[in-house]
Amino acid sequence: MKVLVTGGAGYIGSHTTLELLEAGHEVVCIDNLSNSKVESIKRVEKITGKNVCFYEGDIRDKGILTKIFTEHKIDSVINFAGYKAVGESCQKPLEYYENNIQGLLVLVMTMREFGVKNLVFSSSATVYGNPKSVPITEDFPLSTSNPYGSTKLFIEYMLKDLYKSDNSFNIAILRYFNPIGAHPSGLIGEDPKGIPNNLCPYITQVAVGKRKELGVFGNDYNTHDGTGVRDYIHVVDLSKGHVLAVNKLAENPGLIIVNLGTGVGYSVLDMVKAFEKVTGKPIPYKIMPRRPGDIDECYADPKLAKEVLGFKAEKTLEDMCRDAMNWQTKNPNGYED
Ligand code: NAD
Ligand code: WQD
């Protein structure tokens, strides 16, 4: 199949592009490079020995989308393009609504115009807000506490309404938990700009001496050691979940909403220990105040993804830490090198 991957140069997009190529699909990418480098795509081509048809452009630009759908017979679209930093979304809510929601609208309206009706959308466990219990099943109540989360929730509503109005669409809404790690080659990985917002890239930068110590945001949560618990999933497993979703959409399943997680939660201190084990060195850290908006525990019930997509995360926590370190060590400045 020919798959259009928006945001394909980004962290999850580049790994998914790779897995799509390995599974025998053709990939067309569009990315405006606002949070990525085209080098990631070059490396995907190097690893797979296959070509990616790359367009530098913005999904809010109907002109370039029209050009792509005219030049290629696209079977399915995976939409990764969007902004994703929770903290930044509170500073720049309008930019987040404009990029994420307007981008999705222009994309889906152009798809409809060209009769392309298979879409995979990157949602997030953030749509569960502060869950009443764990593990989280897909029927839990949805809520949002920041503009980034609101964009995901609003888009979910929009896609559900679209499906109700036209059930010839096939839509997979994938709610990711916490993607980490990198491709085992160490050639592609997460390349955050400036100080990482997320735990794992921060730890890997501490591990290689780029940052002095990790700040642990709170040790008074209601968890086994007081630090926040999350469901970390290897980005390669997550990417394979997208290949399964694309294959599933070809069977005309209608609307699918599933969690992509492992079903296992680890605390911040569990993660510190896991990285220490992989690197053989201590990870210095200090306990800091809680980060506003953080919750105690968040992990998936992964059963529905197994039933609907045949998805099961295979990689271990050790794989995640080792592959994240391999990427960080080989690319101390990300794709700048
Ligand atoms: P990323 O920033 O690495 O990738 C997003 C890509 O989209 C970037 O390459 C960026 O340049 C591009 N982009 C942004 N706006 C664009 C636009 N208007 N037109 C074209 N390209 C545009 O982020 P990621 O971690 O790979 O996340 C991918 C998607 O998954 C995002 O939608 C994100 O919200 C979602 N998600 C991510 C996580 C996570 O923890 N990484 C968790 C849940 C959901
Ligand atoms: C994990 C744990 C922190 C950094 C975010 C988004 C979510 C989704 C995934 C996109 C928490 C603690 C972190 C640090 C720390 N993204 N932490 N020190 O917050 O679960 O999820 O990314 O959809 O929407 O909110 O991930 O990696 O930021 O934090 O102690 O320097 O690590 O408090 O308990 P989070 P994270």
Side-chain angles (χ1 to χ4, degrees):
M1 275 184 279
K2 202 179 242 196
V3 183
L4 173 64
V5 179
T6 78
Y11 174 44
I12 307 171
S14 56
H15 286 81
T16 299
T17 295
L18 187 154
E19 294 302 331
L20 286 165
L21 292 172
E22 300 280 28
H25 297 296
E26 284 178 78
V27 181
V28 178
C29 269
I30 175 170
D31 198 303
N32 66 5
L33 304 180
S34 58
N35 196 35
S36 55
K37 303 249 161 37
V38 74
E39 176 64 19
S40 63
I41 294 291
K42 292 191 182 139
R43 295 200 189 174
V44 167
E45 293 182 322
K46 189 174 160 189
I47 298 166
T48 58
K50 295 180 178 172
N51 289 331
V52 175
C53 183
F54 181 77
Y55 291 79
E56 182 174 344
D58 197 297
I59 60 164
R60 290 164 294 181
D61 174 0
K62 191 167 167 43
I64 191 161
L65 290 181
T66 301
K67 181 173 155 65
I68 292 173
F69 285 109
T70 306
E71 288 177 356
H72 301 272
K73 199 192 158 310
I74 301 291
D75 297 295
S76 271
V77 177
I78 306 181
N79 183 43
F80 293 110
Y83 295 149
K84 64 162 180 178
V86 172
E88 186 184 59
S89 78
C90 300
Q91 311 304 317
K92 298 180 175 174
L94 297 183
E95 283 76 3
Y96 269 67
Y97 289 120
E98 208 263 333
N99 193 36
N100 294 5
I101 294 182
Q102 176 72 357
L104 187 281
L105 281 173
V106 176
L107 176 68
V108 177
M109 288 171 92
T110 314
M111 285 173 64
R112 187 174 59 181
E113 218 173 287
F114 283 83
V116 178
K117 296 205 163 175
N118 294 344
L119 173 69
V120 179
F121 174 66
S122 299
S123 190
S124 165
T126 193
V127 299
Y128 296 115
N130 192 352
K132 60 182 189 311
S133 59
V134 277
I136 301 171
T137 52
E138 288 78 357
D139 55 1
F140 268 35
L142 305 179
S143 71
T144 153
S145 58
N146 59 72
Y148 167 72
S150 301
T151 67
K152 293 294 176 193
L153 196 51
F154 296 164
I155 290 172
E156 286 205 6
Y157 290 144
M158 282 161 36
L159 293 177
K160 286 175 199 168
D161 286 340
L162 171 65
Y163 178 69
K164 263 187 235 157
S165 75
D166 177 355
N167 62 16
S168 68
F169 266 93
N170 295 296
I171 302 173
I173 295 178
L174 306 180
R175 295 180 179 152
Y176 318 154
F177 282 67
N178 291 54
I180 64 166
H183 189 262
S185 62
L187 285 174
I188 57 171
E190 189 170 8
D191 184 16
K193 279 190 183 150
I195 302 171
N197 297 310
N198 298 113
L199 180 67
C200 284
Y202 205 105
I203 295 183
T204 59
Q205 293 195 7
V206 172
V208 296
K210 205 168 159 181
R211 305 205 178 267
K212 192 167 131 262
E213 64 189 1
L214 170 73
V216 173
F217 298 148
N219 65 350
D220 58 352
Y221 284 102
N222 184 21
T223 62
H224 63 272
D225 61 15
T227 64
V229 165
R230 300 290 183 273
D231 184 339
Y232 297 96
I233 176 168
H234 198 296
V235 67
V236 170
D237 278 334
L238 186 78
S239 300
K240 288 181 174 162
H242 289 73
V243 178
L244 292 172
V246 163
N247 293 342
K248 184 78 194 177
L249 293 187
E251 298 168 12
N252 292 320
L255 177 68
I256 293 170
I257 304 179
V258 293
N259 290 335
L260 291 184
T262 65
V264 181
Y266 292 104
S267 73
V268 177
L269 293 181
D270 291 335
M271 296 306 287
V272 168
K273 282 186 209 122
F275 275 98
E276 286 177 337
K277 193 167 162 219
V278 159
T279 59
K281 287 191 233 151
I283 308 283
Y285 69 85
K286 76 167 179 228
I287 306 296
M288 311 256 290
R290 287 182 176 207
R291 183 173 64 180
D294 277 355
I295 56 177
D296 303 67
E297 288 196 288
C298 177
Y299 56 90
D301 182 328
K303 270 195 221 87
L304 191 65
K306 177 90 174 65
E307 269 169 45
V308 174
L309 299 180
F311 174 78
K312 187 174 184 309
E314 303 287 351
K315 294 196 180 259
T316 64
L317 181 59
E318 193 176 328
D319 296 331
M320 301 182 214
C321 299
R322 189 197 52 242
D323 292 338
M325 284 311 304
N326 184 36
W327 154 256
Q328 176 70 63
T329 311
K330 287 190 176 151
N331 308 271
N333 300 311
Y335 291 113
E336 293 288 342
D337 292 330

